């Protein structure tokens, strides 16, 4: 009996020294000290013993129980201390480490937006306000009111996407001239940005979608000199003070006289190079004194009101300003292209 007690004690201590987790400890503790445990089993057999033996065994068993309980407790404290230590190590934050770099890159404005804002802001400085019209437009506004009646040969100058007989995708921002003339009080000075559409096979210099900015100034007494001065001021705002502009006679049904605007070559400065085909000049837009027919078509007296107008291809200006060799890049939205305009 006493040997059994000693053996239980020895075995428990030996096992205790191998234990590594609190679960194992609980298991050991129950198997020795629990109700169905080994020590309890010995005490249950005490009935068979003599009174002295019983007293002795009881004393020793209690001593063993006491000893083991204490050692288990001690071990338990030690194990939870180790676990806590490990937790602290695991959760430790080294505040001296460099921060984690997150690959969040900010976007950049499309060159069209940059050029648009430059032209617009230069014109706002001259008393202009902005105006806009729809991209899906009536044939009447896109052509007829602008002095291009049905069957007018100049309609062929623009390859049009028709929605039906009367409705189309506007081929230029000029229909907004008619909308402004019909709806706003005169006089006014407008800058009119917008997306335009023409049936065009995309290539380096053509896109079926492109952006124009129309200018329209209506007043009682405006002249070609006002037109030239206005255009020159925004050309210089976009390209710099040393870039010159010139007017070259041309034809548009909605202006009379009409002109093309050239700027001195942005590559060679006007000496002549391959970009300007040796001329020293580059064409950027059309303009003119608004045809009296347009003013009359929109319900105003052409005796009382004069106007001048232009339509500039924003894509073309952006390509010239930033040296973009392919207009399609502007519309593809490739981040590697756009990030160059930050
Ligand atoms: N609408 C013309 C085009 O798309 C450009 C233009 C020329 C607009 C002369 C005008 C203008 O207002 O007066 O080719």
């Amino acid at each position: 009996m006493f040997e059994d007690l000693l053996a239980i004690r020895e075995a428990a201590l030996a096992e205790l020294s191998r234990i590594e987790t609190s679960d194992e400890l609980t298991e050991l503790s129950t198997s020795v000290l629990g109700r169905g445990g080994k020590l309890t089993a010995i005490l249950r057999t005490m009935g068979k013993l003599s009174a002295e033996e019983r007293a002795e065994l009881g004393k020793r068993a209690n001593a063993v129980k006491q000893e083991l309980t204490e050692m288990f407790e001690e071990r338990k404290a030690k194990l939870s201390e180790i676990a806590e230590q490990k937790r602290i190590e695991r959760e430790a934050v080294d505040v001296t480490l460099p921060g984690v770099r997150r690959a969040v890159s900010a976007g950049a404005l499309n060159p069209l937006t940059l050029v648009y804002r430059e032209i617009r802001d230069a014109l706002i400085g001259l008393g202009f306000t902005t105006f806009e019209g729809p991209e899906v437009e009536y044939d009447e506004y896109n052509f007829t009111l602008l002095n291009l009646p049905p069957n007018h040969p100049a309609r062929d100058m623009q390859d049009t996407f028709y929605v039906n007989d009367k409705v189309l995708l506007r081929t230029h921002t000029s229909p907004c001239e008619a909308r402004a003339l019909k709806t706003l009080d005169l006089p006014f000075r407008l800058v009119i940005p917008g997306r335009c559409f023409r049936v065009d096979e995309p290539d380096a210099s053509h896109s079926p979608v492109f952006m124009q900015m129309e200018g329209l100034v209506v007043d009682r007494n405006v002249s070609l000199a006002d037109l030239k001065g206005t255009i020159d001021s925004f050309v210089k705002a976009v390209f710099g003070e040393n870039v010159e502009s010139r007017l070259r006679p041309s034809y548009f049904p909605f202006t009379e006289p009409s002109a093309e605007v050239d700027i001195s070559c942005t590559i060679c400065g006007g000496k002549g190079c391959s970009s300007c085909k040796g001329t020293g000049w580059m064409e950027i837009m059309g303009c003119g004194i608004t045809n009296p027919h347009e003013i009359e078509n929109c319900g105003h007296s052409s005796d009382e009101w004069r106007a001048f107008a232009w339509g500039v291809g924003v894509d073309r200006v952006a390509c010239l300003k930033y040296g973009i060799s392919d207009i399609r890049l502007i519309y593809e939205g490739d981040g590697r292209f756009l990030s160059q305009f930050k």
Side-chain angles (χ1 to χ4, degrees):
M1 219 42 104
F2 294 121
E3 288 90 80
D4 286 352
L5 188 60
L6 279 178
I8 291 171
R9 177 181 174 277
E10 291 302 315
L13 291 178
E15 211 169 316
L16 184 63
S17 68
R18 284 194 297 272
I19 268 172
E20 278 177 7
T21 69
S22 61
D23 282 351
E24 288 170 348
L25 183 63
T26 316
E27 214 173 283
L28 175 63
S29 166
T30 345
S31 77
V32 179
L33 305 175
R35 264 207 258 158
K38 292 175 195 149
L39 200 64
T40 326
I42 284 194
L43 293 175
R44 286 220 183 92
T45 63
M46 286 207 304
K48 296 180 201 143
L49 301 175
S50 68
E52 299 98 87
E53 278 179 327
R54 201 184 306 158
E56 186 57 25
L57 185 67
K59 212 167 91 187
R60 291 203 198 173
N62 269 334
V64 169
K65 184 174 182 179
Q66 173 102 30
E67 185 193 9
L68 289 178
T69 308
E70 274 168 23
M71 293 195 73
F72 288 170
E73 282 306 318
E74 200 180 297
R75 187 79 187 154
K76 190 172 168 191
K78 188 76 193 160
L79 284 175
S80 77
E81 196 181 300
I82 292 171
E84 178 68 2
Q85 194 58 38
K86 281 198 179 140
R87 190 185 64 78
I88 290 172
E89 278 168 26
R90 202 171 51 238
E91 292 178 2
V93 174
D94 182 350
V95 292
T96 65
L97 283 175
V100 181
R101 269 186 62 184
R102 292 271 148 77
V104 176
S105 59
L109 290 176
N110 189 289
L112 282 187
T113 309
L114 297 174
V115 166
Y116 160 62
R117 289 184 180 176
E118 273 177 354
I119 298 179
R120 179 200 61 190
D121 292 350
L123 290 169
I124 284 175
L126 296 179
F128 281 65
T129 50
T130 54
F131 184 84
E132 285 185 45
E135 292 173 0
V136 179
E137 185 55 281
Y138 290 111
D139 176 291
E140 187 191 1
Y141 282 81
N142 196 81
F143 292 125
T144 312
L145 290 169
L146 303 180
N147 197 31
L148 279 139
N151 304 319
H152 191 291
R155 281 186 174 221
D156 296 343
M157 283 161 66
Q158 307 183 348
D159 291 313
T160 309
F161 286 110
Y162 277 93
V163 175
N164 59 39
D165 281 357
K166 296 200 172 88
V167 179
L168 45 72
L169 301 187
R170 68 177 174 199
T171 58
H172 49 183
T173 43
S174 303
C176 303
E177 292 190 12
R179 287 183 175 271
L181 282 166
K182 277 171 156 274
T183 55
L184 303 182
D185 291 334
L186 311 188
F188 57 66
R189 297 171 205 187
L190 300 179
V191 51
I192 309 164
R195 217 186 283 241
C196 307
F197 310 85
R198 284 187 206 179
V199 182
D200 251 333
E201 204 54 52
D203 64 22
S205 52
H206 293 92
S207 166
V209 184
F210 56 99
M211 185 180 175
Q212 283 194 343
M213 276 171 95
E214 196 85 5
L216 178 63
V217 173
V218 185
D219 213 324
R220 290 197 165 77
N221 194 11
V222 294
S223 69
L224 261 185
D226 299 317
L227 168 63
K228 189 169 188 330
T230 306
I231 287 175
D232 197 59
S233 70
F234 77 73
V235 162
K236 287 185 160 54
V238 173
F239 290 103
E241 283 300 319
N242 46 5
V243 170
E244 299 297 329
S245 65
R246 73 172 184 187
L247 301 186
R248 187 164 39 78
S250 183
Y251 169 75
F252 297 101
F254 26 87
T255 41
E256 180 58 40
S258 304
E260 295 285 352
V261 179
D262 296 336
I263 60 169
S264 53
C265 178
T266 51
I267 308 291
C268 65
K271 288 189 214 69
C273 66
S274 61
S275 294
C276 57
K277 301 198 182 81
T279 63
W281 296 95
M282 294 170 141
E283 182 185 316
I284 59 164
M285 62 184 178
C287 66
I289 297 292
T290 305
N291 193 306
H293 289 307
E294 178 183 325
I295 294 177
E296 297 282 341
N297 288 347
C298 296
H300 299 285
S301 155
S302 58
D303 289 333
E304 185 178 1
W305 299 103
R306 291 285 153 73
F308 64 79
W310 70 83
V312 60
V314 183
D315 320 65
R316 176 135 179 83
V317 172
C319 287
L320 288 177
K321 171 158 179 164
Y322 296 110
I324 301 165
S325 56
D326 192 324
I327 190 175
R328 289 170 292 192
L329 288 167
I330 291 177
Y331 291 98
E332 280 165 2
D334 189 322
R336 292 167 299 180
F337 170 74
L338 292 175
S339 62
Q340 298 174 61
F341 299 94
K342 270 184 193 167

